[in-house]
Amino acid sequence: MKLFGLIGCPVHHSLSPLMHNDAFQSLRIDAHYHAFHVEPHLLKEAVQGLKALQCAGFNVTIPHKTAVMAYMDELDETAKQMGAVNTVVNENGKWIGYNTDGEGFVRALCEQMNIDLSGARILLVGAGGAARGIYFTLLKHRVSAVDVCNRTAGKAETFIAKQTSSVYSLEEAEERLGEYDIIINTTSVGMYPNVDAMPISLQTLKKGTIVSDIIYNPLMTKWLQEAKERGARVQNGVGMFVYQGALAFEKWTGIFPDTKRMEKVVIQQLGGKTC
Ligand code: ATR
């Protein structure tokens, strides 16, 4: 039996073991996925230990996504660009670090909303690790603009490409929502337990805009609910979670799993319906 896993701190609430073990079972792959709680000061030992145990691959979550890069034998270009690793593959005893978060988000967006991004004008809310991964992946599609707004404007300035992007304060962005086809919240604002918080106000949102939130707990954030009431097409964070996992699964096994099935497992566990 092959061993796969997740390292993070904390990991006890992770839905990844359930989602991956269900996919292994349904595809009759003899493998098991386990969530390992790894304290930051023991990260190096944990990564070395997983290699000693011949672990075939693992995911990496908060707070280790950047720190784990130091213990990789090789890094994929996307992971280097993003400055973070979320998926590790054991290739003949070498740890190769990848990042499937940005691609996971974009695949989920295009497939679930049935859109093509060429010519799209996009606004990202937030400039942390998640925003960075999504930003670089969006630039690979023929979008017309990806602007970024953030509470701390200086953070966005560190990674944006000036020819395709502008940086705005949250207040400036709130005035300009009507200019965008797609608006994406990449911050944790609105996530359980602070479910009443909203990342930006939606007063200038136009009908038909696609509004996506990477949060999946709650399944429908207050912000997404308001966007829907204002006539937007909305998407929650389950899609990104499922597709980043599916892309990792593909790197480990060579098989792209059934994302609809994964989504169902995740939503059932979260106790609700998708939007
Ligand atoms: P992640 O790696 O999950 O993206 P992160 O790097 O800590 O996490 O980034 C969190 C993002 O959420 C940042 O854009 C942060 O804004 P700042 O750069 O100003 O810190 C944003 N964020 C978090 N809490 C916020 C809040 N209460 N209001 C506005 N933005 C917030």
Side-chain angles (χ1 to χ4, degrees), residues 39-53:
E39 294 287 339
H41 70 285
L42 293 172
L43 179 61
K44 183 178 179 183
E45 287 82 351
V47 175
Q48 285 173 342
L50 286 170
K51 199 188 259 185
L53 295 170

Side-chain angles (χ1 to χ4, degrees), residues 126-130 150-152 155 170 186-189:
N150 194 42
R151 179 178 57 180
T152 316
K155 226 180 192 176
L170 297 178
T186 71
T187 76
S188 51
V189 180

